[in-house]
Amino acid sequence: CKVTNLVKTIEALKKAGIWVFGLDRHGKDSIFQQDLSEGIAIVTGGEEKGIRPLVRKHCDHLVSIPQQGPLNSLNASVAGAVAMYEAFRQWELKKAIRNKKGA
């Protein structure tokens, strides 16, 4: 979603128990190493400058999408899509494990 004041929105999400992950090419952890299976929000930055410093400061985790080759960043919409699909994949996996245990 698009909001007017992202910092206030992040604070509200945190109060609601949501973990906030910021996509940042300098994030020390890979997005694939994080538990994204429930209760998360993903913040993407602008095309050239990324996430603004104040917003970055309020994220719980800064994560990167590992890449090989000459590229050093992805288009914001592509990065968001990769992150959302990874969250969906983990959510589906967790759901399948719960269903298997219940069967």
Side-chain angles (χ1 to χ4, degrees):
C1 69
K2 189 174 181 177
V3 297
T4 304
N5 187 320
L6 192 52
V7 170
K8 285 186 179 182
T9 302
I10 289 172
E11 289 171 352
L13 289 168
K14 287 181 174 188
K15 284 181 184 177
I18 304 293
W19 289 95
V20 180
F21 289 85
L23 296 179
D24 187 310
R25 70 177 184 212
H26 301 295
K28 64 180 177 175
D29 296 320
S30 163
I31 194 158
F32 304 114
Q33 298 170 325
Q34 302 299 311
D35 181 359
L36 308 174
S37 61
E38 56 187 82
I40 66 150
I42 299 170
V43 178
T44 60
E47 294 290 334
E48 297 202 13
K49 295 183 180 180
I51 299 173
R52 293 180 180 190
L54 186 59
V55 172
R56 182 183 291 118
K57 181 179 172 183
H58 282 82
C59 291
D60 293 308
H61 301 283
L62 294 176
V63 293
S64 62
I65 298 173
Q67 299 174 64
Q68 294 183 355
L71 297 176
N72 65 2
S73 68
L74 296 173
N75 170 286
S77 65
V78 172
V82 169
M84 288 184 282
Y85 188 80
E86 176 60 12
F88 172 76
R89 186 193 68 78
Q90 289 183 25
W91 182 78
E92 284 290 315
L93 180 62
K94 196 172 202 176
K95 184 172 77 170
I97 291 169
R98 277 194 305 257
N99 289 341
K100 189 173 184 178
K101 286 181 181 179

Coordinates of all heavy atoms in Angstrom, one line a residue:
C1 N 0.8 -1.2 0.0 CA 0.0 0.0 0.0 C 0.9 1.2 0.0 O 2.1 1.2 0.3 CB -0.9 0.0 1.2 SG -0.1 0.2 2.8
K2 N 0.3 2.3 -0.3 CA 1.0 3.6 -0.3 C 0.5 4.4 0.8 O -0.7 4.5 0.9 CB 0.9 4.3 -1.7 CG 1.7 5.5 -1.9 CD 1.6 6.1 -3.3 CE 2.5 7.3 -3.4 NZ 2.4 7.8 -4.8
V3 N 1.4 5.0 1.6 CA 0.9 5.8 2.7 C 1.6 7.2 2.7 O 2.6 7.4 2.0 CB 1.3 5.1 4.1 CG1 0.5 3.8 4.2 CG2 2.7 4.9 4.2
T4 N 1.0 8.1 3.5 CA 1.6 9.5 3.5 C 2.8 9.6 4.4 O 3.8 10.2 4.0 CB 0.5 10.5 4.0 OG1 -0.7 10.3 3.2 CG2 1.0 11.9 4.0
N5 N 2.8 9.0 5.6 CA 3.9 9.1 6.5 C 4.3 7.6 6.8 O 3.7 7.0 7.7 CB 3.5 9.8 7.8 CG 4.7 10.1 8.7 OD1 5.5 9.2 8.9 ND2 4.7 11.2 9.3
L6 N 5.4 7.2 6.2 CA 5.8 5.8 6.4 C 6.3 5.5 7.8 O 6.1 4.4 8.3 CB 6.9 5.5 5.3 CG 7.2 4.0 5.1 CD1 6.0 3.1 4.9 CD2 8.2 3.8 4.0
V7 N 7.0 6.4 8.4 CA 7.5 6.2 9.7 C 6.4 5.9 10.7 O 6.4 5.0 11.5 CB 8.4 7.3 10.2 CG1 8.8 7.2 11.7 CG2 9.7 7.4 9.4
K8 N 5.3 6.8 10.6 CA 4.2 6.6 11.5 C 3.5 5.3 11.2 O 3.0 4.6 12.1 CB 3.2 7.7 11.4 CG 3.7 9.0 12.1 CD 2.6 10.1 12.0 CE 3.1 11.3 12.8 NZ 2.1 12.4 12.8
T9 N 3.4 4.9 10.0 CA 2.8 3.6 9.6 C 3.6 2.5 10.1 O 3.0 1.5 10.6 CB 2.7 3.5 8.0 OG1 1.9 4.6 7.6 CG2 2.0 2.2 7.6
I10 N 4.9 2.5 10.0 CA 5.8 1.5 10.6 C 5.6 1.4 12.1 O 5.5 0.3 12.6 CB 7.3 1.7 10.2 CG1 7.5 1.5 8.7 CG2 8.2 0.9 11.1 CD1 8.9 1.9 8.3
E11 N 5.5 2.5 12.8 CA 5.3 2.5 14.2 C 4.0 1.8 14.5 O 3.9 1.0 15.5 CB 5.4 3.9 14.8 CG 6.8 4.4 14.8 CD 6.8 5.9 15.2 OE1 5.7 6.6 15.3 OE2 7.9 6.4 15.3
A12 N 2.9 2.1 13.8 CA 1.6 1.5 14.0 C 1.7 0.0 13.7 O 1.1 -0.8 14.5 CB 0.6 2.1 13.1
L13 N 2.4 -0.4 12.7 CA 2.5 -1.9 12.4 C 3.2 -2.6 13.5 O 2.8 -3.7 13.9 CB 3.3 -2.0 11.0 CG 2.5 -1.7 9.8 CD1 3.5 -1.6 8.6 CD2 1.4 -2.6 9.5
K14 N 4.3 -2.0 14.0 CA 5.0 -2.6 15.1 C 4.2 -2.8 16.3 O 4.2 -3.8 17.0 CB 6.3 -1.8 15.4 CG 7.4 -1.9 14.4 CD 8.5 -1.1 14.8 CE 9.7 -1.3 13.9 NZ 10.9 -0.6 14.5
K15 N 3.3 -1.8 16.7 CA 2.4 -1.9 17.8 C 1.4 -3.0 17.6 O 0.9 -3.6 18.6 CB 1.7 -0.6 18.0 CG 2.5 0.5 18.6 CD 1.8 1.8 18.9 CE 2.7 2.9 19.4 NZ 2.0 4.2 19.6
A16 N 1.1 -3.3 16.4 CA 0.2 -4.4 16.1 C 0.9 -5.8 16.0 O 0.3 -6.8 15.6 CB -0.5 -4.1 14.7
G17 N 2.2 -5.8 16.3 CA 2.9 -7.1 16.3 C 3.5 -7.5 14.9 O 3.8 -8.6 14.8
I18 N 3.6 -6.6 14.0 CA 4.1 -6.8 12.7 C 5.6 -6.5 12.7 O 6.0 -5.5 13.1 CB 3.4 -6.0 11.6 CG1 1.9 -6.2 11.7 CG2 4.0 -6.2 10.2 CD1 1.4 -7.6 11.3
W19 N 6.4 -7.5 12.1 CA 7.8 -7.2 11.9 C 8.0 -6.5 10.6 O 7.4 -6.9 9.6 CB 8.6 -8.6 11.9 CG 8.7 -9.2 13.2 CD1 7.8 -10.2 13.7 CD2 9.6 -9.0 14.2 NE1 8.2 -10.5 15.0 CE2 9.3 -9.8 15.3 CE3 10.7 -8.1 14.3 CZ2 10.1 -9.8 16.5 CZ3 11.5 -8.1 15.5 CH2 11.1 -8.9 16.5
V20 N 8.9 -5.5 10.6 CA 9.1 -4.7 9.4 C 10.4 -5.0 8.8 O 11.5 -4.8 9.4 CB 8.9 -3.2 9.7 CG1 9.1 -2.3 8.4 CG2 7.5 -2.9 10.3
F21 N 10.4 -5.5 7.5 CA 11.7 -5.8 6.8 C 11.9 -4.8 5.7 O 11.0 -4.5 4.9 CB 11.6 -7.2 6.2 CG 11.6 -8.3 7.2 CD1 10.5 -8.7 7.8 CD2 12.8 -8.9 7.5 CE1 10.5 -9.8 8.7 CE2 12.8 -10.0 8.4 CZ 11.7 -10.4 9.0
G22 N 13.0 -4.1 5.7 CA 13.4 -3.2 4.7 C 14.3 -3.8 3.7 O 15.3 -4.5 4.0
L23 N 14.0 -3.7 2.4 CA 14.9 -4.2 1.3 C 16.0 -3.2 1.1 O 15.7 -2.1 0.7 CB 14.1 -4.5 0.1 CG 13.0 -5.5 0.2 CD1 12.3 -5.7 -1.2 CD2 13.5 -6.9 0.6
D24 N 17.2 -3.7 1.3 CA 18.4 -2.8 1.1 C 19.5 -3.6 0.6 O 19.9 -4.6 1.2 CB 18.7 -2.2 2.5 CG 19.8 -1.1 2.4 OD1 20.8 -1.4 1.8 OD2 19.6 -0.1 3.0
R25 N 20.1 -3.2 -0.5 CA 21.2 -4.0 -1.1 C 22.4 -4.1 -0.1 O 23.2 -5.0 -0.3 CB 21.6 -3.4 -2.4 CG 22.4 -2.1 -2.3 CD 22.8 -1.7 -3.7 NE 23.6 -0.5 -3.6 CZ 23.6 0.5 -4.5 NH1 22.9 0.3 -5.6 NH2 24.3 1.5 -4.4
H26 N 22.5 -3.3 0.9 CA 23.6 -3.4 1.9 C 23.1 -4.1 3.1 O 23.9 -4.2 4.1 CB 24.0 -2.0 2.2 CG 24.5 -1.2 1.1 ND1 25.7 -1.5 0.4 CD2 24.1 -0.1 0.5 CE1 25.8 -0.7 -0.6 NE2 24.9 0.2 -0.6
G27 N 21.9 -4.6 3.1 CA 21.5 -5.4 4.3 C 22.4 -6.6 4.5 O 22.7 -7.3 3.5
K28 N 22.8 -6.8 5.8 CA 23.7 -7.9 6.0 C 23.2 -9.3 5.9 O 23.9 -10.3 5.7 CB 24.4 -7.7 7.4 CG 23.5 -7.8 8.5 CD 24.2 -7.6 9.8 CE 23.3 -7.6 11.0 NZ 23.9 -7.5 12.3
D29 N 21.8 -9.4 6.0 CA 21.2 -10.7 6.0 C 20.4 -10.9 4.7 O 19.8 -10.0 4.2 CB 20.3 -10.9 7.1 CG 21.0 -10.9 8.5 OD1 22.1 -11.5 8.6 OD2 20.4 -10.3 9.4
S30 N 20.5 -12.1 4.1 CA 19.7 -12.4 2.9 C 18.2 -12.6 3.3 O 17.9 -13.1 4.4 CB 20.2 -13.8 2.4 OG 19.2 -14.3 1.5
I31 N 17.3 -12.1 2.4 CA 15.9 -12.3 2.7 C 15.5 -13.8 2.8 O 14.6 -14.1 3.5 CB 15.1 -11.6 1.6 CG1 13.6 -11.5 2.0 CG2 15.2 -12.3 0.2 CD1 12.9 -10.4 1.4
F32 N 16.3 -14.6 2.2 CA 16.0 -16.1 2.2 C 16.4 -16.7 3.5 O 16.1 -17.9 3.8 CB 16.7 -16.7 1.0 CG 16.3 -16.1 -0.3 CD1 17.2 -15.5 -1.1 CD2 15.0 -16.2 -0.7 CE1 16.9 -14.9 -2.3 CE2 14.6 -15.6 -1.9 CZ 15.6 -15.0 -2.7
Q33 N 17.1 -16.0 4.4 CA 17.5 -16.5 5.7 C 16.5 -16.0 6.8 O 16.7 -16.3 8.0 CB 18.9 -16.0 6.1 CG 20.0 -16.5 5.1 CD 21.3 -15.8 5.4 OE1 21.4 -14.6 5.7 NE2 22.4 -16.6 5.2
Q34 N 15.5 -15.3 6.5 CA 14.6 -14.7 7.4 C 13.3 -15.5 7.5 O 12.9 -16.1 6.5 CB 14.3 -13.2 7.1 CG 15.5 -12.4 7.0 CD 16.2 -12.3 8.3 OE1 15.7 -12.1 9.4 NE2 17.5 -12.5 8.3
D35 N 12.6 -15.5 8.6 CA 11.3 -16.1 8.7 C 10.3 -15.0 8.3 O 10.0 -14.1 9.0 CB 11.0 -16.6 10.2 CG 9.7 -17.2 10.3 OD1 8.9 -17.3 9.3 OD2 9.4 -17.6 11.4
L36 N 9.7 -15.2 7.1 CA 8.8 -14.3 6.6 C 7.4 -14.9 6.5 O 6.5 -14.5 5.8 CB 9.2 -13.9 5.2 CG 10.6 -13.3 5.0 CD1 10.9 -13.1 3.5 CD2 10.8 -12.1 5.8
S37 N 7.2 -16.0 7.3 CA 6.0 -16.8 7.1 C 4.7 -16.2 7.7 O 3.6 -16.6 7.4 CB 6.2 -18.2 7.7 OG 6.5 -18.1 9.1
E38 N 4.8 -15.2 8.6 CA 3.6 -14.5 9.1 C 4.0 -13.2 9.8 O 5.1 -13.1 10.3 CB 2.8 -15.5 10.0 CG 3.6 -16.0 11.2 CD 2.8 -17.0 12.0 OE1 2.8 -18.2 11.5 OE2 2.2 -16.7 13.0
G39 N 3.0 -12.3 9.8 CA 3.2 -11.1 10.6 C 4.3 -10.2 10.1 O 5.1 -9.7 11.0
I40 N 4.4 -9.9 8.8 CA 5.5 -9.1 8.3 C 4.9 -8.0 7.4 O 3.9 -8.1 6.8 CB 6.5 -9.9 7.6 CG1 5.9 -10.5 6.3 CG2 7.1 -11.0 8.4 CD1 7.0 -10.6 5.2
A41 N 5.8 -6.9 7.3 CA 5.6 -5.9 6.3 C 6.9 -5.7 5.6 O 8.0 -5.9 6.2 CB 5.1 -4.6 6.9
I42 N 6.9 -5.5 4.3 CA 8.1 -5.3 3.5 C 8.1 -3.9 2.9 O 7.2 -3.4 2.3 CB 8.1 -6.3 2.3 CG1 8.1 -7.8 2.9 CG2 9.3 -6.1 1.5 CD1 7.9 -8.8 1.9
V43 N 9.2 -3.2 3.2 CA 9.4 -1.8 2.7 C 10.4 -1.9 1.5 O 11.5 -2.4 1.7 CB 9.9 -0.9 3.8 CG1 10.2 0.5 3.3 CG2 9.0 -0.9 5.0
T44 N 10.0 -1.3 0.4 CA 11.0 -1.1 -0.7 C 11.3 0.4 -0.8 O 10.4 1.2 -0.5 CB 10.4 -1.6 -2.0 OG1 9.2 -0.9 -2.3 CG2 10.1 -3.1 -1.9
G45 N 12.4 0.7 -1.3 CA 12.8 2.1 -1.4 C 12.6 2.6 -2.9 O 12.1 1.9 -3.7
G46 N 13.1 3.8 -3.1 CA 13.0 4.4 -4.4 C 14.0 3.7 -5.3 O 15.0 3.1 -4.9
E47 N 13.8 3.9 -6.6 CA 14.6 3.3 -7.6 C 16.1 3.6 -7.5 O 16.9 2.7 -7.7 CB 14.2 3.7 -9.0 CG 12.8 3.3 -9.4 CD 12.7 1.8 -9.6 OE1 13.7 1.1 -10.0 OE2 11.6 1.2 -9.4
E48 N 16.5 4.8 -7.2 CA 17.9 5.1 -7.2 C 18.5 5.2 -5.8 O 19.7 4.8 -5.6 CB 18.2 6.4 -8.0 CG 17.8 6.3 -9.4 CD 18.5 7.3 -10.3 OE1 19.4 7.9 -9.9 OE2 18.0 7.4 -11.5
K49 N 17.8 5.8 -4.9 CA 18.4 6.0 -3.5 C 18.0 5.0 -2.5 O 18.5 5.0 -1.4 CB 17.9 7.4 -3.1 CG 18.5 8.5 -3.9 CD 18.2 9.9 -3.4 CE 18.8 11.0 -4.3 NZ 18.4 12.3 -3.8
G50 N 17.0 4.1 -2.8 CA 16.6 3.1 -1.9 C 15.7 3.7 -0.8 O 15.1 4.7 -1.0
I51 N 15.8 3.0 0.4 CA 14.9 3.4 1.5 C 15.6 4.7 2.1 O 16.8 4.7 2.4 CB 14.8 2.3 2.5 CG1 14.2 1.1 1.9 CG2 14.0 2.7 3.8 CD1 14.2 -0.2 2.8
R52 N 14.8 5.6 2.5 CA 15.3 6.9 3.1 C 15.8 6.5 4.5 O 15.4 5.6 5.2 CB 14.1 7.9 3.3 CG 13.7 8.4 1.9 CD 12.6 9.4 2.1 NE 12.2 9.9 0.8 CZ 11.4 10.9 0.6 NH1 10.9 11.6 1.6 NH2 11.1 11.3 -0.7
P53 N 16.9 7.3 4.9 CA 17.5 7.0 6.2 C 16.6 6.9 7.4 O 16.8 5.9 8.2 CB 18.5 8.1 6.4 CG 18.8 8.6 5.0 CD 17.5 8.4 4.2
L54 N 15.7 7.7 7.6 CA 14.8 7.7 8.7 C 13.9 6.4 8.7 O 13.6 5.8 9.7 CB 13.9 9.0 8.8 CG 13.0 9.1 10.1 CD1 13.9 9.1 11.3 CD2 12.3 10.4 10.0
V55 N 13.4 6.1 7.5 CA 12.6 4.9 7.3 C 13.5 3.7 7.6 O 13.0 2.7 8.3 CB 12.0 4.8 5.9 CG1 11.3 3.5 5.7 CG2 11.0 6.0 5.8
R56 N 14.7 3.6 7.1 CA 15.6 2.5 7.3 C 15.8 2.3 8.8 O 15.8 1.2 9.3 CB 16.9 2.8 6.6 CG 18.0 1.7 6.7 CD 19.3 2.1 6.1 NE 19.2 2.1 4.6 CZ 19.4 3.2 3.9 NH1 19.8 4.3 4.5 NH2 19.3 3.2 2.6
K57 N 16.0 3.4 9.5 CA 16.2 3.3 11.0 C 15.1 2.7 11.7 O 15.3 2.0 12.7 CB 16.4 4.7 11.5 CG 16.7 4.8 13.0 CD 16.9 6.3 13.4 CE 17.0 6.4 14.9 NZ 17.2 7.8 15.3
H58 N 13.9 2.8 11.2 CA 12.7 2.3 11.9 C 12.4 0.8 11.5 O 11.5 0.2 12.1 CB 11.5 3.1 11.7 CG 11.5 4.4 12.5 ND1 12.2 5.5 12.2 CD2 10.9 4.6 13.7 CE1 12.1 6.4 13.1 NE2 11.3 5.9 14.1
C59 N 13.0 0.3 10.5 CA 12.8 -1.1 10.1 C 13.4 -2.0 11.2 O 14.4 -1.7 11.7 CB 13.4 -1.4 8.7 SG 12.6 -0.6 7.4
D60 N 12.8 -3.2 11.4 CA 13.3 -4.2 12.3 C 14.5 -4.9 11.8 O 15.5 -5.2 12.5 CB 12.2 -5.2 12.7 CG 11.1 -4.6 13.5 OD1 11.3 -4.0 14.5 OD2 9.9 -4.8 13.1
H61 N 14.5 -5.2 10.5 CA 15.6 -5.9 9.8 C 15.8 -5.3 8.4 O 14.8 -5.0 7.7 CB 15.2 -7.3 9.6 CG 15.0 -8.1 10.9 ND1 16.0 -8.5 11.7 CD2 13.8 -8.5 11.5 CE1 15.5 -9.1 12.8 NE2 14.1 -9.1 12.6
L62 N 17.0 -5.1 8.0 CA 17.4 -4.7 6.7 C 17.9 -6.0 6.0 O 18.9 -6.6 6.5 CB 18.4 -3.6 6.7 CG 17.9 -2.3 7.2 CD1 19.1 -1.3 7.2 CD2 16.8 -1.7 6.4
V63 N 17.3 -6.3 4.9 CA 17.6 -7.6 4.2 C 17.9 -7.3 2.8 O 17.4 -6.4 2.2 CB 16.5 -8.6 4.4 CG1 16.4 -9.1 5.8 CG2 15.2 -8.1 3.8
S64 N 18.8 -8.1 2.2 CA 19.2 -8.0 0.8 C 18.7 -9.2 0.0 O 18.4 -10.2 0.6 CB 20.7 -7.9 0.7 OG 21.3 -9.0 1.2
I65 N 18.6 -9.0 -1.3 CA 18.3 -10.1 -2.2 C 19.7 -10.5 -2.9 O 20.2 -9.7 -3.6 CB 17.3 -9.7 -3.2 CG1 16.0 -9.4 -2.5 CG2 17.1 -10.9 -4.2 CD1 14.9 -8.8 -3.4
P66 N 20.2 -11.7 -2.6 CA 21.5 -12.0 -3.1 C 21.5 -12.0 -4.7 O 20.5 -12.4 -5.3 CB 21.7 -13.5 -2.6 CG 20.8 -13.6 -1.5 CD 19.6 -12.7 -1.7
Q67 N 22.6 -11.5 -5.2 CA 22.7 -11.4 -6.7 C 24.1 -11.8 -7.1 O 25.0 -11.6 -6.4 CB 22.4 -10.0 -7.2 CG 21.0 -9.6 -6.8 CD 20.8 -8.1 -7.2 OE1 20.8 -7.7 -8.3 NE2 20.5 -7.3 -6.1
Q68 N 24.2 -12.3 -8.3 CA 25.5 -12.6 -8.9 C 25.6 -11.8 -10.2 O 24.7 -11.4 -10.8 CB 25.6 -14.1 -9.2 CG 25.6 -14.9 -7.9 CD 25.8 -16.4 -8.3 OE1 25.8 -16.8 -9.4 NE2 25.9 -17.2 -7.3
G69 N 26.9 -11.6 -10.5 CA 27.1 -10.9 -11.7 C 27.3 -9.4 -11.6 O 27.4 -8.9 -10.4
P70 N 27.2 -8.6 -12.7 CA 27.5 -7.2 -12.6 C 26.3 -6.3 -12.0 O 26.6 -5.2 -11.7 CB 27.6 -6.8 -14.1 CG 26.8 -7.8 -14.8 CD 26.9 -9.1 -14.0
L71 N 25.2 -6.9 -11.8 CA 24.1 -6.1 -11.2 C 24.3 -5.9 -9.8 O 24.7 -6.8 -9.1 CB 22.7 -6.8 -11.4 CG 22.3 -7.0 -12.9 CD1 21.0 -7.8 -12.9 CD2 22.0 -5.7 -13.5
N72 N 24.0 -4.7 -9.3 CA 24.2 -4.4 -7.8 C 22.9 -4.1 -7.2 O 22.8 -3.9 -6.0 CB 25.2 -3.4 -7.6 CG 24.9 -2.0 -8.1 OD1 23.8 -1.8 -8.7 ND2 25.7 -1.1 -7.9
S73 N 21.8 -4.0 -7.9 CA 20.5 -3.7 -7.4 C 19.4 -4.1 -8.4 O 19.7 -4.3 -9.5 CB 20.3 -2.3 -7.0 OG 20.3 -1.5 -8.1
L74 N 18.2 -4.3 -7.8 CA 17.0 -4.6 -8.7 C 16.1 -3.4 -8.7 O 16.1 -2.6 -7.8 CB 16.3 -5.8 -8.1 CG 17.0 -7.1 -8.0 CD1 16.2 -8.2 -7.3 CD2 17.3 -7.6 -9.4
N75 N 15.3 -3.4 -9.7 CA 14.2 -2.4 -9.8 C 13.3 -2.6 -8.6 O 13.1 -3.7 -8.1 CB 13.5 -2.7 -11.1 CG 12.2 -2.0 -11.3 OD1 11.2 -2.4 -10.6 ND2 12.1 -1.0 -12.1
A76 N 12.8 -1.5 -8.0 CA 12.0 -1.6 -6.8 C 10.8 -2.6 -6.9 O 10.6 -3.4 -6.0 CB 11.6 -0.2 -6.3
S77 N 10.2 -2.6 -8.0 CA 9.0 -3.5 -8.1 C 9.4 -4.9 -8.2 O 8.8 -5.8 -7.7 CB 8.1 -3.1 -9.4 OG 8.9 -3.2 -10.6
V78 N 10.6 -5.2 -8.9 CA 11.1 -6.5 -9.0 C 11.5 -7.0 -7.6 O 11.2 -8.1 -7.2 CB 12.2 -6.6 -10.0 CG1 12.9 -8.0 -10.0 CG2 11.7 -6.3 -11.4
A79 N 12.3 -6.2 -6.9 CA 12.7 -6.6 -5.5 C 11.5 -6.8 -4.6 O 11.5 -7.8 -3.9 CB 13.6 -5.4 -5.0
G80 N 10.5 -6.0 -4.7 CA 9.3 -6.2 -3.9 C 8.6 -7.5 -4.3 O 8.1 -8.3 -3.4
A81 N 8.5 -7.8 -5.6 CA 7.9 -9.1 -6.0 C 8.7 -10.3 -5.5 O 8.1 -11.3 -5.1 CB 7.8 -9.1 -7.6
V82 N 10.0 -10.2 -5.6 CA 10.8 -11.3 -5.1 C 10.6 -11.5 -3.6 O 10.4 -12.7 -3.2 CB 12.3 -11.1 -5.4 CG1 13.2 -12.1 -4.7 CG2 12.6 -11.1 -6.9
A83 N 10.6 -10.5 -2.9 CA 10.4 -10.5 -1.4 C 9.0 -11.1 -1.1 O 8.8 -11.9 -0.2 CB 10.6 -9.2 -0.8
M84 N 8.0 -10.6 -1.8 CA 6.6 -11.0 -1.5 C 6.4 -12.5 -1.9 O 5.7 -13.2 -1.2 CB 5.6 -10.1 -2.2 CG 5.5 -8.8 -1.6 SD 4.2 -7.7 -2.3 CE 5.0 -7.2 -3.8
Y85 N 7.0 -12.9 -3.0 CA 6.9 -14.3 -3.3 C 7.6 -15.2 -2.3 O 7.1 -16.3 -2.0 CB 7.5 -14.6 -4.7 CG 7.1 -16.0 -5.1 CD1 5.9 -16.3 -5.6 CD2 8.0 -17.0 -5.0 CE1 5.5 -17.6 -6.0 CE2 7.7 -18.3 -5.3 CZ 6.5 -18.6 -5.8 OH 6.1 -19.9 -6.1
E86 N 8.8 -14.8 -1.8 CA 9.5 -15.6 -0.8 C 8.6 -15.7 0.5 O 8.5 -16.7 1.1 CB 10.8 -15.0 -0.5 CG 11.6 -15.7 0.7 CD 11.9 -17.1 0.4 OE1 11.7 -17.7 -0.7 OE2 12.3 -17.8 1.4
A87 N 8.0 -14.6 0.9 CA 7.0 -14.6 2.0 C 5.9 -15.6 1.8 O 5.5 -16.4 2.6 CB 6.5 -13.2 2.3
F88 N 5.3 -15.5 0.6 CA 4.2 -16.4 0.2 C 4.7 -17.9 0.2 O 4.0 -18.7 0.8 CB 3.7 -16.1 -1.2 CG 2.7 -17.0 -1.8 CD1 1.4 -17.1 -1.3 CD2 3.1 -17.9 -2.7 CE1 0.5 -18.0 -1.8 CE2 2.2 -18.8 -3.3 CZ 0.9 -18.9 -2.8
R89 N 5.9 -18.1 -0.3 CA 6.4 -19.5 -0.3 C 6.6 -20.0 1.1 O 6.2 -21.2 1.4 CB 7.8 -19.5 -1.1 CG 8.4 -20.9 -1.3 CD 9.8 -20.8 -1.7 NE 10.7 -20.3 -0.6 CZ 11.1 -21.1 0.4 NH1 10.7 -22.3 0.5 NH2 11.9 -20.5 1.4
Q90 N 7.1 -19.2 2.0 CA 7.3 -19.6 3.4 C 6.0 -19.9 4.1 O 5.8 -20.8 4.8 CB 8.2 -18.6 4.1 CG 9.6 -18.6 3.7 CD 10.4 -17.6 4.6 OE1 10.1 -17.3 5.7 NE2 11.5 -17.1 4.0
W91 N 5.0 -19.0 3.8 CA 3.7 -19.1 4.4 C 3.0 -20.4 3.9 O 2.5 -21.1 4.8 CB 2.9 -17.9 4.0 CG 1.5 -17.9 4.6 CD1 1.1 -17.5 5.9 CD2 0.3 -18.2 3.9 NE1 -0.2 -17.6 6.0 CE2 -0.8 -18.1 4.9 CE3 0.0 -18.7 2.6 CZ2 -2.1 -18.3 4.6 CZ3 -1.4 -18.9 2.3 CH2 -2.4 -18.8 3.3
E92 N 3.1 -20.7 2.7 CA 2.5 -22.0 2.1 C 3.2 -23.2 2.7 O 2.6 -24.2 3.0 CB 2.7 -22.0 0.6 CG 1.7 -21.1 -0.1 CD 0.2 -21.6 0.0 OE1 0.0 -22.8 -0.2 OE2 -0.7 -20.8 0.3
L93 N 4.6 -23.1 2.9 CA 5.3 -24.2 3.4 C 4.9 -24.5 4.9 O 4.7 -25.6 5.3 CB 6.8 -24.0 3.3 CG 7.7 -25.0 3.9 CD1 7.6 -26.4 3.2 CD2 9.2 -24.6 3.8
K94 N 4.8 -23.4 5.7 CA 4.4 -23.5 7.1 C 3.0 -24.1 7.2 O 2.7 -24.9 8.0 CB 4.5 -22.1 7.7 CG 4.4 -22.2 9.2 CD 4.7 -20.8 9.8 CE 5.2 -20.9 11.2 NZ 5.6 -19.6 11.7
K95 N 2.1 -23.6 6.3 CA 0.7 -24.1 6.3 C 0.7 -25.6 5.9 O 0.0 -26.4 6.6 CB -0.1 -23.3 5.2 CG -1.6 -23.7 5.2 CD -2.4 -22.8 4.3 CE -2.2 -23.1 2.9 NZ -3.1 -22.5 1.9
A96 N 1.5 -26.0 5.0 CA 1.5 -27.5 4.6 C 2.0 -28.3 5.8 O 1.5 -29.4 6.0 CB 2.4 -27.6 3.4
I97 N 3.0 -27.8 6.5 CA 3.6 -28.5 7.6 C 2.5 -28.6 8.7 O 2.3 -29.7 9.3 CB 4.9 -27.9 8.1 CG1 6.0 -28.0 7.1 CG2 5.3 -28.4 9.5 CD1 7.2 -27.2 7.4
R98 N 1.8 -27.6 9.0 CA 0.7 -27.6 10.0 C -0.3 -28.6 9.6 O -0.8 -29.4 10.5 CB 0.1 -26.2 10.2 CG 0.9 -25.3 11.1 CD 0.0 -24.1 11.5 NE -0.4 -23.3 10.4 CZ 0.1 -22.2 10.0 NH1 1.1 -21.6 10.6 NH2 -0.5 -21.6 8.9
N99 N -0.7 -28.6 8.4 CA -1.8 -29.5 7.9 C -1.3 -31.0 8.0 O -2.1 -31.8 8.3 CB -2.2 -29.2 6.4 CG -3.0 -27.9 6.4 OD1 -3.5 -27.4 7.4 ND2 -3.0 -27.3 5.2
K100 N -0.1 -31.2 7.7 CA 0.5 -32.6 7.7 C 0.5 -33.1 9.2 O 0.2 -34.2 9.4 CB 1.9 -32.6 7.2 CG 2.4 -34.0 7.0 CD 3.8 -33.9 6.2 CE 4.2 -35.4 6.0 NZ 5.5 -35.4 5.2
K101 N 0.8 -32.2 10.1 CA 0.9 -32.6 11.5 C -0.6 -32.9 12.0 O -0.8 -33.7 12.9 CB 1.5 -31.5 12.4 CG 3.0 -31.4 12.3 CD 3.6 -30.3 13.1 CE 5.1 -30.2 13.0 NZ 5.6 -29.1 13.8
G102 N -1.5 -32.1 11.5 CA -2.9 -32.3 11.9 C -3.6 -33.5 11.3 O -4.7 -33.9 11.7
A103 N -3.0 -34.0 10.2 CA -3.6 -35.1 9.5 C -3.4 -36.5 10.2 O -2.7 -36.7 11.1 CB -3.1 -35.2 8.1

